[in-house]
Every structure is written in structure tokens, then in C-alpha cells.
Amino acid sequence: MSMPVSPEKQSTLSTVDILSQGMVINVGPQHPSTHGVLRLILTLDGEQILHCEPVIGYLHRGLEKMMERRPYRHNVPFTDRLDYLAALSNNLGICQCIERLGGVEVPERAQYIRVLLMELQRIASHLVFLGTFGTDLGATTMFLYAFRERELVLDLLEECTGARLTYNWIRVGGVPDDLPEGFGEKVLGFVKTFRQRLEEYDQLLTRNRIFRSRTQGIGILPKELALAYGTSGPVIRASGMAYDVRKAAPYEVYDRVEFDVPVHEQGDVWARYLVRMEEMRQSIRIIEQVLRDIPDGPVQTKLPKVFKPPAGIAYSRIESPRGELSFMMVSDGSPNPLRVHIRAPSFVNLSVLPSLLEGTKVADLVAILGSIDVVLGEIDR
Amino acid sequence: MRTRQPATEQYNPLAVFIEGLSTLFYGMLVTWRNFWRPKVTVRYPYQRKPMPPRYRGLFYLKWNEEKQRLNCVGCTLCAQACPTDVISMVKLGKGTNAGVSEFTMDLGRCLFCNLCVEACPFDAIYMGPAYELASERRDAALFRIADLAQGGEEAVRTNIETVQRLMAEEEKARPAAGGHAG
Amino acid sequence: MIEVVVQFFRDYPLLWTFVKAVVLASFTLLIPLAVIWVERKVAGFIQSRLGPLHVGPQGTFQTVADALKLLLKEDIVPSGADKRFFYIAPYIAFISTVLSFMVLPFAPGWVALEMNVAVLFVIGVSLFNVVSILMAGWSSNNKYSLLGGLRAVAQLLSYEIPMVLSVLAVVFYTGSLSLTGIVEYQVKHGWLIWQPPIMIAALIYFICALAEINRTPFDLPEAESELVSGFNTEYSGMRFAFFFASEFANNFFITAFAAALFFGGWDGPILPPIVWTFLKVFVMIFVFMWVRWTPPRLRIDQILRFAWQFLVPVSLVNLLFAIVLGVR
Amino acid sequence: MGVKERLEQGLVRVPGGTILIAKLADLMAWARKSSMWSLTFGLSCCAIEMMATAASRYDLDRFGMFFRATPRQADVMIVAGWVSVKMAPFIKRLYEQMPEPKYVIAMGGCASAGGPYRDSITIVKGVDQFVPVDVYVYGCPPRPENLILGILKLQERIRAEHLAEKKGLPRPVREPIIIPESGASG
């Protein structure tokens, strides 16, 4: 996009070596493959990227400050709009934090329901990754197939929670309502279809030679670098680090279900893709176990109308589809939190992008950015 | 600047070509299969997907056929439970028989989070299966009581009449019995 | 009656040429409407959806509406654009397609210009397309356009060579540079696709054709997720419509050319020749679309490596085989 | 769909047969409304629903709508998501880059009126503060059906509009909203 040189851009120009004669090009904020409104200021030498500078903040809305002005439970719906591809994970994150702050116990059935919804959400989120990643690489049909199956998950979630995208179905002290009638059978029916569809995706995309040559050996993130930046989720697992909050610090009933943490050593785009594909299979395993083991009982703890946790500080972390999502809340005993901080996994994962991009081609930019799978709503907060 | 990509396996054009072509055919089988599969499209304006009973769409105020009034008593608990101040209302009368004369929702800032519905102790406000909110007017998001109440204008009028009647009865009954009229 | 008309045009050959030019140009403008509609329907069916549906029966008027709308849009020329090149680039692309259609035989006698070096003519004319893309990319004063244009030139030129070599195999087999001659040879001796060297040549032609009309996995010049819209990023309205039309007319032409070279052109039993031509073309277009909607796209270095390291040597060797087997 | 009605309106009965009189303006309006290419431009949550609308289940291609990445070839801009003060100039720029006639759909409460972020200092309270909006689609996020309804409304608006005065249409009265008869429990 040709734009007049703004003061912002002038300052950028001074950061790179002007003598390198690189062509400065703006990718974003409106660009089909930036997954939202990320802006990347690239310095190119022909097709090769010399330097990359991400600019974020186009979605900033001061959410942490807004949360401080509202009572605890009113903040839960706002977290839906953080990582809008995995709204339930964010709900769970903040609810856990508030529960820890107030010492609220969650009934066992509610914990199972939470895990079930969480894994369905993970499948939905990874399907968006699969679809957008496919489109970025030019396989448009993959996008439509992934969204087709995502609609099936959304149908299930809609039946249970009453919304398609911003669920707000996890509350402090449990879940607001029990699972609807016959929900388990429907989930099992979906799981059966989805297994076959995963095979189809493999046949269409994973085994495709072109896809492999576009992803293998591209954007290699070494283990040390991944650790140094503090990445998490599929990004670090693809770099050979078996770190999963569900195993490292089990929450809810994740210690009672059996699942594997997929790990790949290569650290390239291909490995990140494979980790996510494998995670969907593991999510299916978890869902089946949860539906088998789910006990009867209440789903919500009664809480007072005005919820005032004692003064203190609480930190919670969960494994969202994008990585380790943490909330920190400080309470001074009033109905509103004193301070809220959100550790968004996408923000940390995005920070490795410039070091991954240097020396790659423009076409690899979309593959690498797609494989990190960032959500800008979470980064800008 | 050197590229970070390591030299991968020995590049053998023929093998790559054959593999590429075979995996392409393999993938084309999938697209071929899907070509003949039934289509999943819902032809929206002509065909609608049934909404699940829990679907959280447009609000409505519940009409109580038995008492000939809306269930809402104007206690503002829902307005207090709302994170974004969507609801405002004007209370009509006071005491147990109170009602509302005006109830406004600005769905432009509504999060559809269901917190107001859960906060309501009188079973008065619900989120219905209606979802069509597109309009050419910016103020289309502002819903007055007549838009929200089940039964529309007439229900609102009857509601006000009933509440006023109950108020009057209560007023009349108070000096005589000292209790309240039901 | 017909004789009278023929006699009339014999008397005025200039008028006849003019009529043929108008018919060809309108054909080149109209055939994309059909191809795009088929494309969108096929894409929809492959992707589990329905494609255009509500504009006309089964969405048949969809592309008409698209074309009409594009003609009515505001025509924007970006400031800083090289105006002369920016203005003429789409028309050069379009004219190159019309010129290729000129020598294409649809049925016996149904050819605008009977040329004895038709194959050479097509190869020469199709290079105009590359020029137009480079002009569009350069003159737009947009970095994405420039990248797209440069990519397009690198790709199209690289794939032109194996394509020409595979076409030459056919020429050596038939001993004719005229498309009508090639088709007549096939009517007499059977379709060339059944000859082993031509089979390989047809495969190479198919791959190169995908690259020539910018289809996945070779749709780099307008790779939407990387370069926004490639060389035509800055084009709007009618000029974009001409690029669009010439791209899809090119799609039609390249399959019709393949039909004439490898599949016997109008040759076929029972049905009239013109029907056979269109049948073959649309089957091939369907295959092109089927391929298009399946794999991801390649990277520019992979594309070029594939062309120079594999396609060019293979087509050269294949050409030698064709000469050895074909020349009698 | 619209074609048949148009044709019937244009049919004039004269002695001995019927003549088709379709006004050029009608034809232009028909072409514009039947072929609305949209700008690939998502901001936040609503963008995901916009993608879902374009995907197989709801299939915007039925209405001849598909997404073009460049504003030069787009007719309608769907602003899907909240617009921050930092983003607003870019939206205005994109709007200016689109060729006339151009239309804007504000999707979701945030783009229409600031939405839940009405008390946030960084969010613009509705994109109509700097670009003219034709259709507002409320909801958080609106269902795909809701967006399609907005698109249909925009189509009606285009059909009714005159060539010279694009924005001079009288605002229509709000149509009644369907309230369910029986109280389905929430």
C-alpha cells in the first residue's frame, strides 16, 4: 500500500539500515493474511525479508482498566472478546482466578462440564487455525471444509450455551446450567463424523507434497529461543518442549483424564501444524473419557449477590488453544478488582515473529504467521 | 543475510514430481467425494435453521396471561447486573404490585451475556430465539417497552392499567384492613 | 441464400474481416461469463456449498451482473501511476487473447484466420500477456503490484519454454504448424494423446497451462493471501474487468488449444463438430478447476526450480523422442 | 429473484403484444445489487462470524458476494468489529480507496455504536462518525443470518436508490419485531 510517509514510518525507517536499499512494505493493518489488524513493516530485498517490525495496538481498548471499574462477575463476558476464537477458555481463566481469590469450590460435575466444553472449544479454535492456515497457503477449499466442521461444533456449543461465538457460559462457582437433554449422544455423533473428516484433512492437505514443501524447514524456532521468549502452547511443543499446563499444573479434572501431549522436535511450521492436528485427536479422546466418567450432581455453587472476595492476590493459568493463558487479579476487599492483568499467549508467541522471519521469503511470511496462530483481540487487549 | 532454512534432503526433481502428482491426485479424490456429497448450505432468507431453546437472542418481557400484566416489577436488579448498562426502566407504583411504565434496552452495547436474565427474581425478562437486528437506522438498537413486551403496544397498555388498578385497590384496602391487596 | 452472403463478403473482404473481428472480440468478452459462472458453481460444489443461486435461475445471470457492475464502477487511476502504461495494460492483455482466438479452429472451416503458422503465432502472441502484466505491475505505483508483476514475468517466461517444447513435439509428429492441419491429421490418424511421447507432452502442457493461466498451485502473481491481489491490486472497474475477462478467456483458449493439439479438436462421433470442441474444452476446464481448488500454492523459488530443473529437461528429452518416433 | 419482478414492472401492454421497457437506471441498480463484492477486512470477533457467513453453511456466494482483498475492486465494506482511534484513519483511507458507488455495512454493536466499549477511551463510538454507513447490523456478534439480512436490506436500498442522489433516501420506518408467542424459557 502506498502511503505518505508518516512520522511513525519515518521513525521506522531510521531503525533499519537505509543503505541496505531494502524496499519497505507495509503488510496490514488491512491485509488478507494478518489474521486481524496486525501491521508488519517489512524491509524486503526482492522476495527476501531483511527485517520485520510488527506494530500492534489497532484493537486496543483498555480492557484491563475497564475490568477494574466493574464488579468481578461482570468482567466474565468481556473475556469472551479477548481471544474470540476460544471464548470459553478465557471464561474459564478468569473464573478460576476469581474462584481462587474468593476461595470458591466448584462442584465436580461442573468441572467435568468445563473440561468437555473446553475441549470442544479447542477443536473449534484449531479448526479456524486449519482453515485460515490453508487459505494463507492457497488451499482455499481447506478453509471451507474446516469451517464446515466448525459449524458442527458451534451447533453443539450453541445448544449447550445459547451462543455461537461469545458464550459466557462459565461462571464463578461452576456453570450456569446443566448440559441439555441428549447432549452426550450428540457429542459422540459429532466425534464419529469428525474422526473421518480428520482423515480427509490428512488426505487433502497433510500428505500433499506441495503443502509439505511449503511448511517443512520453514520458520524454525529453536528450543532455546522458544524458551527465552516464553512462548507456550503448540508453538513451544513444536519446538521439542513437552510443556502443557494441563499436565504441568492440572486444573479442573484434567488429572483424571488420559491424554498425550503431542511434541515435535523440528520447530518448523510443519511441526506446529502437526501438533495442532494431533491436539484435535487428543481432544476427542478427552471428550470421550469425560462423557464416560461424568458424575451427577449440582453444577453451581451458590454465591452471594454481591461478591466480595477477601483482600489478596490470585493467579490462575490454563491451557488455551493458543498457549498458556493467565489471569492475575488483586483484590482489596471491595466488589471491584484493584488490578487485573492478562497474560495473553498470542502476545508472547507473536514476539518471536521478527526473529523467525529474517531471511525468509515473502511467501513464507504468511505460513509462519499462520502457524503461530495469533488472535489480535488477545494481543491488544 | 543468510537464510535460516537448512539444506533439507537431496533434491530429486523426478521423485518430488511423482510424489507431488500422486499426492495431488490423492487430495483430488477428497474434493471429488465432496463434490457429490449433499451440500450443507442453509438458504437463509428462504430456509431457517431452528434455534435451540437456549439460544440467546433478542430480549422480551414476559406477559402473564393470568394476572393480565407483565411480570416485571421494575426492581432494576437486571440493570444492576448488566456489565454495560444496557437496561433502563421507569418504575410504576411501589410495593409488591409495582410494574414498569417504560423499559428501554440499548442492544447496541449489549453483550448477550445472560447475566440480567439470571439476576431477575421475577421471571420477567428472557432472551428469545429472534436474532434479526439488521436495520438501516442507527437507532434500531434502541428497544422501547412496546418492542420488548410480548404482545406489543396492547400488552403495555393493559399492563399499566392492571398495575394502576392494583395500586388503587391497594390504596383503598390499606386504611380498612391495614394489609395489602393481592 | 448462403451463397449470396458469401458472394457479398467475397466482394468486400475488408468488411468481412471487420465482421469476424467483432464476432471474435465479443466472443472473447462473453465466454468468460460462462467460464466464471461454471467456475463459481464448481468451486461451490467442491466446497459443500451452492455457489451463485439467487441472481437468475441457479445464478446464471450472476456473471452478467458482475460484468455490468464493473463497467459502471468508478475508474480510479492512482496518483503517481505511470498513466499511459496503466491505461493500456488491460487492453493489451485482452487483445493478446483475442489474437490467439483468431487462429483457433472451432469446427471445420470455423476459423477466423486460416494461418499456416498458427502454432507459432499463438506462442508469439501469448507473450503479450506477460508484457501487459509487467506493465500493470510496474505502472500501478504499488509495491504489491510490482512484486506480483515481477513474479508473474518470472513464472510465465519460465513455463513458456517447456510449454513451447511440448507443443513442438506435436508439430514434429504431425508435420504441420497449422492448427487446422494438426486437427485434420488427428481426424485421419487418431488422437495424438494416445502416442507415448505426446502423452508426456500433454502432461507437461497441462502443468504449464496451469502456470500460464495463474491457477493454484501456480497462482503466485495474484496470490491473494500474500500480495493482496498481485499485479491488478490498483485496478478497478472496467480495466479490472478486462483483466478478469482476459484471464478467463485465456483459460478457455488454453484448453481449446490443448483440445486441438492433443484431443483431436472437433473430432468425435455423432455430435456436430462444434459441440465436440466445446465439450472437450469444458471437460478440461472442469479438470483445471478441480485441480485449482485442491492443493496449496507453491513458493516462487520452488516454482522456478521445478520449471528449470525438471520441466525443461524432461520436455527437451521428450521432444527428441517425439522427433525420433514421429518424423517419418 | 429481483429480475422477474423488474421485468414485470417493465412490461407495458400495448395493443398487439407486450414491450419490455426496462429503465437503464433499473438495470444498473440491479447489477449493483446483485454483485456486491466485499472487502476482506475483519477487525475482531465479528470478523469470525463474517468468515462463517462466507463459509459453506451460509455461503455469501449465493448472493454473488465474494471477498476481494483490495479496496479498488470492492463495492461494500463490512466493518466487522470494534474500531480503535488508531485504526480509524485506516478505515477512512480504505473507504476512500474504494471506487464509487460504495457502501458500508457496520457489523456488530461495536462498529455500529461503540458497543460494550462505550466507556473505553480508545474505541470510536460507531464508524458512522467518519464513513457513511448504509446498514447497521446489531448483535454481539450478529449471527450469520443477521448479517445476510443486513446485506438483503442493503440490496433493497441499492435497488431503490437513484443515480444522482445516493444518500438522499428517506429513512424507512422500523419494521415490527417478531416476539415469540409462548415464553420459551431461557
Side-chain angles (χ1 to χ4, degrees), chain A residues 2-4 29-30 32 36-37 39 55-63 66 69-70 78 81 84-85 132 143-144 147 150-151 155 158 164-166, chain D residues 39-45 48-49 51-52 54-58 69 71 82 84 86-87 90 93-94 97 116-117 119-120 122-123 140-141 143-144:
Chain A
S2 64
M3 290 179 187
Q30 185 264 331
V37 281
R39 175 174 167 205
V55 181
I56 59 170
Y58 290 99
L59 285 181
H60 179 70
R61 53 206 186 277
L63 190 61
M66 283 172 75
R69 295 186 51 227
R70 288 180 165 77
F78 281 98
R81 279 98 186 145
Y84 33 80
L85 293 180
T132 50
F143 169 79
L144 288 132
F147 264 68
R150 179 173 175 266
E151 287 289 337
D155 281 350
E158 189 180 29
R164 272 171 60 87
L165 198 64
T166 48
Chain D
L39 183 62
T40 319
F41 176 46
L43 289 165
S44 50
C45 341
I48 308 296
E49 285 297 73
M51 278 151 76
S56 302
R57 172 74 72 86
Y58 296 102
W82 56 81
S84 67
K86 192 176 178 182
M87 191 63 205
F90 290 96
R93 171 166 224 110
L94 285 168
Q97 283 176 335
Y117 302 111
D119 57 345
S120 160
T122 59
I123 300 299
C140 194
R143 282 186 68 86

Side-chain angles (χ1 to χ4, degrees), chain A residues 160 167 171 178 200 212, chain B residues 19 37 54 56 83 118:
Chain A
C160 178
Y167 309 100
R171 302 290 157 78
D178 210 337
E200 260 185 23
R212 293 223 306 276
Chain B
E19 198 192 342
R37 266 200 195 135
R54 280 185 187 178
R56 307 206 296 263
E118 280 163 33

Side-chain angles (χ1 to χ4, degrees), chain B residues 11 20 23 31 50 55 68 76 83 102 106 108 115 132 141-142 145 150 160 177:
Chain B
Y11 184 68
T23 49
T31 35
Y55 183 70
Q68 288 292 311
T76 70
E102 185 55 270
D106 184 358
L115 289 182
E132 284 150 325
L142 194 70
I145 187 165
Q150 267 182 345
I160 292 175

Side-chain angles (χ1 to χ4, degrees), chain A residues 1 24 26-27 31-33 47 135-138 140-141 144-145 148 204 210-211 213-214 218 363-364 366, chain C residues 46-49 141 143-144 147 151 216-217 224-226 228 293-302:
Chain A
M1 236 167 275
V24 179
N26 266 298
V27 176
H31 187 278
S33 61
E47 286 261 342
T135 332
D136 287 350
L137 294 178
T140 320
T141 305
L144 288 132
Y145 287 171
R148 183 183 65 190
L204 182 66
I210 298 172
F211 179 73
S213 59
R214 279 300 303 279
I218 306 297
D364 293 334
V366 290
Chain C
I46 281 180
Q47 294 161 351
S48 274
R49 55 196 180 89
N141 187 26
K143 288 162 183 172
Y144 288 121
L147 275 176
R151 275 182 178 190
T216 329
E224 191 170 290
S225 57
E226 295 155 24
V228 185
W293 294 107
T294 304
R297 75 171 68 90
L298 284 158
R299 213 169 50 214
I300 183 75
D301 56 327
Q302 292 165 341

